[in-house]
Amino acid sequence: MQRILLIKTSSLGDVVHNLPVVADIYAHDSEATIDWVVEAAFADIPRLHPCVRRVIPVALRRWRGALWRTVTWREIGEFKRQLQAETYDLILDTQGLFKSAVLARLAYGSRCGQAHASAREPLASYLYDRRFHVARARHAVMRNRDLAAQALGYALPQTPPDYGIHAPREVLPEGLDKPYVVCLHGTSRASKRWPKAYWMSLVRELAHRGRMPALLWADAAERERALAIVESAPGAIVLPRLPLRRLAVVLYRAQGVVGVDTGLVHLAAAFNRPTVALYTDTSPLLTGVYSADERLAENLGDKGRIPTPTEVLEALSRLGVF
């Protein structure tokens, strides 16, 4: 029985892309125990996987801005206590950043990661005990799976990715009492947004076709944008702000999901929900939605090419939403 520690801390999309590694490891060694270090904000995602024994939250983003506070150092001490509670047979850093490599160095065991030419931050490679070359021009899911296969000594699986997660059985938020399509309009980068006029056109047509558009938001600006979008479509709703665990429930039970390049759209695809991802300023080649069933997800657009509402509706139709 191998004791394995995975280190993939952030962002949400990256954490989702690392989930298939768990199934691959178990296919190789069904008695393995797997722990996972992840940013506290995203800890609910690996917790959804039945084969992850222990999730160890870290709060690097928050700690960096509060190093003068006693409570911060108390939290850091508790994190180290959890991290060093046992010695691992293998510590696998699939993040490839200097900060994640430092976390690997704090843990006890053989530390593995990407070689200098493969890592997102080459300096990270000097902190590993064993290094492996992983081709850059591949989707993030396959890069993670490839690194795990090399580190554990099994052939890279040719099977579709198995994300292995299911949302909790919880009551849906009020208002979601008919087939609904989640519209993920919010993103941290303005250049990744889909035009508001396009969203208005889409939600009107979704409502016309009997699919309730349900919009999510993460901050005040996104809420205002969501409210402006639904004004054009009677029957569309703006949900209250929800924690990640509740967002997972909403996505898991959706009739379909349309979203810009953001972590939640990848989570929807991991749940095998019919998902259309919209790209406007980045290419989906390396980080597009990657479903276990290619018939349930489509990437539209590319850097400098904005998909139209008509393209989105046609994609939703192909995916069986209508």
Side-chain angles (χ1 to χ4, degrees):
M1 179 181 73
Q2 294 189 88
R3 290 168 295 182
I4 298 166
L5 177 67
L6 301 179
I7 297 179
K8 178 72 89 172
T9 58
S10 62
S11 60
L12 176 56
D14 291 339
V15 172
V16 171
H17 287 158
N18 201 54
L19 288 166
V21 166
V22 178
D24 288 351
I25 291 173
Y26 266 88
H28 169 67
D29 180 2
S30 61
E31 296 185 352
T33 62
I34 299 178
D35 296 346
W36 189 322
V37 174
V38 63
E39 273 284 342
F42 309 125
D44 280 341
I45 299 306
R47 284 181 182 136
L48 295 177
H49 203 301
C51 295
V52 174
R53 180 189 64 166
R54 187 165 63 113
V55 174
I56 305 173
V58 66
L60 293 177
R61 296 178 176 183
R62 177 162 52 80
W63 292 341
R64 277 200 301 265
L67 288 176
W68 66 89
R69 299 179 61 188
T70 301
V71 67
T72 297
W73 289 102
R74 198 175 296 133
E75 289 178 1
I76 292 173
E78 175 58 21
F79 165 72
K80 287 182 64 178
R81 186 194 67 77
Q82 291 186 51
L83 185 67
Q84 297 172 349
E86 62 182 283
T87 299
Y88 293 96
D89 297 296
L90 185 141
I91 301 162
L92 184 63
D93 173 20
T94 57
Q95 194 90 32
L97 300 178
F98 183 74
K99 67 178 182 180
S100 58
V102 169
L103 296 177
R105 292 299 303 182
L106 291 175
Y108 298 144
S110 176
R111 306 161 188 96
C112 301
Q114 298 171 45
H116 186 274
S118 303
R120 288 165 61 185
E121 294 181 357
L123 187 60
S125 65
Y126 295 107
L127 299 181
Y128 306 132
D129 301 310
R130 297 162 59 208
R131 306 165 188 85
F132 304 93
H133 174 73
V134 179
R136 282 181 174 270
R138 306 178 74 182
H139 193 279
V141 169
M142 292 309 300
R143 284 172 55 83
N144 294 333
R145 298 179 76 187
D146 188 7
L147 178 59
Q150 293 187 63
L152 276 85
Y154 57 82
L156 176 62
Q158 300 304 307
T159 53
D162 179 2
Y163 292 90
I165 56 173
H166 301 277
R169 294 178 178 271
E170 296 179 2
V171 176
L172 287 169
E174 185 177 353
L176 293 179
D177 52 2
K178 61 179 69 173
Y180 62 91
V181 172
V182 175
C183 296
L184 301 169
H185 65 97
T187 176
S188 58
R189 226 166 75 193
S191 61
K192 291 185 177 183
R193 290 178 189 152
W194 203 43
K196 185 189 295 185
Y198 282 9
W199 279 114
M200 290 177 172
S201 174
L202 177 66
V203 298
R204 282 196 300 268
E205 187 60 30
L206 288 173
H208 177 70
R209 298 191 186 193
R211 299 292 181 264
M212 176 193 291
L215 278 70
L216 305 177
W217 54 278
D219 57 34
E222 286 186 8
R223 182 175 181 273
E224 289 303 310
R225 194 164 188 264
L227 290 171
I229 291 169
V230 302
E231 281 182 1
S232 65
I237 65 170
V238 176
L239 293 177
R241 188 173 184 178
L242 300 169
L244 185 54
R245 177 185 172 91
R246 295 289 290 150
L247 289 171
V249 174
V250 171
L251 293 172
Y252 188 69
R253 293 168 64 180
Q255 188 83 8
V257 177
V258 180
V260 293
D261 180 15
T262 185
L264 290 175
V265 79
H266 295 289
L267 182 57
F271 283 141
N272 273 340
R273 303 317 304 145
T275 303
V276 178
L278 310 175
Y279 289 81
T280 61
D281 190 49
T282 54
S283 173
L285 181 63
L286 302 181
T287 57
V289 290
Y290 196 140
S291 175
D293 186 343
E294 61 183 17
R295 298 168 299 178
L296 292 177
E298 288 196 27
N299 296 295
L300 299 180
D302 208 322
K303 189 175 180 63
R305 190 183 77 76
I306 300 175
T308 66
T310 298
E311 290 179 275
V312 175
L313 290 165
E314 290 173 349
L316 289 171
S317 183
R318 287 191 295 272
L319 298 178
V321 173
F322 305 125

